[in-house]
Amino acid sequence: MASSVLSIASSYLGFPSKSTVEPYKVRDVPKGATQYDSKATVRALPSSWYTSSEIYAIERRAIFSKRWLFVTQRSRFKQPGDFLRYEFAGFDVNIVLDRTGKINAFHNVCRHRAYPVIEAKEGNKKIFSCRYHGWSYGLDGKLAKAPLFQDFPDFDKSANGLLPVHVHIDCNNFIYINLDASSTPIPWSKDFDSVDRQARFADVTFADYELDHTYEMQGHYNWKLLADNFNECYHCKTTHVDIPTFFTIDLHDLDAKDGHMQHDSGTTEEQRRKGLSLSTTYFFPNASMNVTPHFMMIQKFLPSSAAESRMSYEIYRNKKSSEEDFKLISEMYARVMAEDKDLCAGQQKNLDAGVYEAGELHPRWEKGPLYVQSQVREAVTEHFELEKKAGKQIWPAKHVPTAVGGDEEDICAALERCGDDRKELVW
């Protein structure tokens, strides 16, 4: 399996198509343009990239460990100790408001024996206490108590706080996290420069939107299928009867730049008068934010394996809007998202069957999925080359204490490299 996956990866990292352009290097595709030859179809990523555990593993290292991830709204944290827990791609992260008013984020991992410090999904805590052995931490992540360890004069409490996660809050109070263990992750602006200063936000007062409810849909689908699906409306006419109410399908286009895509829904004057004007932004790799005068939705695609993901939704309502205006758009969106879930589950079932390799995509009507796939390809290719040069896997999110010796890790690495069935992974 590893051999076939890596051979396919090698042939597809260059994204073969009928275009002579190297599209995975194009990071600015304005409305009205495509990143490919507009007169030729484009070959999509191969099916293995949606089913392979090896591809999923390198995405964890190359994307979810290194990129800024759009998560939630600052308004959800009202009192010191308010926390939210997010699980995705094998990672478990707590975001919390501390007593100074600062938003902090930490891996949900006790520094003693790695048990989760928090087991609830959200709530309020004055201190984080691990129920396994009683180690406890402040809202700033500092170790407060380690029972019986006070007997060891060389035990350094300051070196045993919760493992930190980088946090960025944009000018509209949206929260992003970055799991890179280094002190200098990629700059937030590299992917999201000015995303919070879009001209179409001029009439939006984000402080007026309050959380109404959340929900999730678990399913058998790769997270990229969900991203591909959300970022095109080629399927809307045949699937979503609600879409024309708030979306002009034939006018849909998007402006893709660096790590985000700004969708243009072709809003008509009649839709605008009804309060159905829509501004949609996709934040690579796995989140989007849709806002109308009465409704806002934060959507996240949270993978748990190569072919299992959760579609996670935070639904906000404008506190100045009527119940009727809010429900008109919120209920339509709920139906559309459920329809998309069924589409992606059907795709994944056939991808798993092993009879389909890759399809040809439309450079105009599927420019969104093509851009998502090019971003994935670029990130995986870059990290693949780094690991090939290093001769080992590179896990950017891993925190390694300076006191840890290398002998044990060397033995593990040597064992992983030996055996004919793993020789392909030795680069």
Side-chain angles (χ1 to χ4, degrees):
M1 177 64 176
S3 178
S4 61
V5 168
L6 290 177
S7 63
I8 290 171
S10 298
S11 64
Y12 272 85
L13 287 176
F15 204 85
S17 73
K18 298 174 185 177
S19 170
T20 58
V21 180
E22 290 184 304
Y24 61 88
K25 295 183 179 178
V26 177
R27 292 177 64 85
D28 189 354
V29 187
K31 286 188 295 184
T34 75
Q35 65 191 114
Y36 298 95
D37 181 354
S38 62
K39 299 183 184 302
T41 60
V42 187
R43 183 69 63 180
L45 281 174
S47 59
S48 60
W49 283 52
Y50 296 84
T51 61
S52 160
S53 58
E54 288 91 348
I55 291 294
Y56 173 65
I58 198 171
E59 288 173 347
R60 292 188 65 225
R61 305 193 297 274
I63 298 174
F64 292 98
S65 293
K66 297 169 71 170
R67 302 295 280 267
W68 285 98
L69 308 174
F70 181 94
V71 183
T72 190
Q73 237 288 333
R74 170 66 175 76
S75 62
R76 295 196 64 183
F77 302 84
K78 301 185 183 304
Q79 302 294 328
D82 284 353
F83 72 89
L84 295 174
R85 178 183 176 189
Y86 293 98
E87 296 178 82
F88 57 92
F91 300 107
D92 191 348
V93 174
N94 295 321
I95 303 175
V96 62
L97 176 65
D98 72 15
R99 291 178 176 82
T100 70
K102 181 183 177 185
I103 294 289
N104 298 315
F106 308 99
H107 289 278
N108 189 27
V109 179
C110 181
R111 290 298 302 280
H112 178 221
R113 298 268 293 279
Y115 193 78
V117 175
I118 297 292
E119 296 181 76
K121 295 299 182 184
E122 61 181 284
N124 183 282
K125 289 186 177 292
K126 303 309 177 189
I127 197 165
F128 291 154
S129 182
C130 177
R131 75 181 180 95
Y132 197 175
H133 299 96
W135 283 38
S136 57
Y137 307 83
L139 302 180
D140 58 1
K142 293 180 180 179
L143 179 63
K145 182 179 70 173
L148 305 181
F149 275 67
Q150 68 272 14
D151 298 335
F152 302 106
D154 292 337
F155 178 70
D156 185 358
K157 288 176 63 176
S158 67
N160 283 277
L162 294 175
L163 301 173
V165 170
H166 301 283
V167 174
H168 179 88
I169 302 177
D170 71 19
C171 71
N172 297 319
N173 273 332
F174 291 107
I175 297 174
Y176 308 70
I177 60 174
N178 188 305
L179 274 56
D180 193 329
S182 76
S183 60
T184 55
I186 63 170
W188 175 84
S189 59
K190 182 177 185 291
D191 280 336
F192 301 122
D193 186 35
S194 300
V195 72
D196 52 347
R197 293 181 170 84
Q198 299 176 41
R200 58 188 181 165
F201 290 164
D203 297 327
V204 179
T205 303
F206 285 103
D208 287 342
Y209 293 80
E210 299 177 332
L211 183 71
D212 186 82
H213 65 279
T214 66
Y215 69 99
E216 293 185 339
M217 293 187 289
Q218 178 79 32
H220 184 67
Y221 27 62
N222 182 276
W223 70 275
K224 297 187 295 300
L225 285 185
L226 301 172
D228 290 347
N229 168 275
F230 180 79
N231 285 295
E232 54 93 353
C233 212
Y234 182 45
H235 71 281
C236 291
K237 287 184 178 181
T238 56
T239 306
H240 301 312
V241 297
D242 286 308
I243 287 287
T245 305
F246 59 91
F247 200 111
T248 307
I249 296 174
D250 290 337
L251 297 180
H252 174 254
D253 200 353
L254 57 86
D255 183 349
K257 187 177 188 302
D258 298 325
H260 63 278
M261 289 182 280
Q262 298 175 24
H263 289 246
D264 184 343
S265 303
T267 303
T268 65
E269 285 305 313
E270 181 182 2
Q271 289 167 336
R272 203 177 304 279
R273 285 195 301 271
K274 292 181 178 179
L276 296 173
S277 56
L278 172 66
S279 297
T280 298
T281 305
Y282 192 83
F283 302 82
F284 183 81
N286 66 326
S288 67
M289 186 274 292
N290 297 17
V291 61
T292 77
H294 307 297
F295 158 93
M296 181 172 72
M297 178 182 81
I298 294 176
Q299 173 180 239
K300 295 182 289 293
F301 304 138
L302 305 174
S304 53
S305 70
E308 295 287 333
S309 301
R310 296 192 326 278
M311 302 167 72
S312 172
Y313 297 93
E314 299 179 8
I315 306 301
Y316 298 75
R317 64 182 299 166
N318 191 318
K319 59 187 177 184
K320 299 177 182 178
S321 299
S322 68
E323 183 79 1
E324 180 183 8
D325 286 337
F326 168 69
K327 283 193 171 182
L328 173 64
I329 184 70
S330 67
E331 291 179 354
M332 283 192 292
Y333 251 102
R335 289 191 292 270
V336 170
M337 298 301 102
E339 291 160 356
D340 281 341
K341 174 182 183 292
D342 290 340
L343 293 174
C344 293
Q347 279 183 280
Q348 188 68 50
K349 180 174 180 288
N350 278 336
L351 292 177
D352 291 343
V355 298
Y356 174 93
E357 180 56 35
E360 296 187 47
L361 304 189
H362 195 292
R364 161 67 176 88
W365 293 107
E366 292 170 296
K367 65 185 286 189
L370 288 170
Y371 197 75
V372 170
Q373 293 177 24
S374 70
Q375 291 283 295
V376 171
R377 182 179 298 99
E378 179 182 339
V380 168
T381 302
E382 180 183 278
H383 198 79
F384 180 84
E385 292 301 325
L386 289 175
E387 294 188 342
K388 184 177 178 180
K389 183 177 181 180
K392 63 180 181 180
Q393 293 181 352
I394 299 173
W395 289 87
K398 180 177 285 189
H399 292 253
V400 182
T402 55
V404 173
D407 291 347
E408 297 95 333
E409 288 288 349
D410 291 343
I411 292 172
C412 182
L415 289 171
E416 289 180 344
R417 286 194 296 269
C418 72
D420 292 339
D421 59 332
R422 298 193 59 85
K423 63 184 178 182
E424 298 88 356
L425 301 181
V426 190
W427 296 279

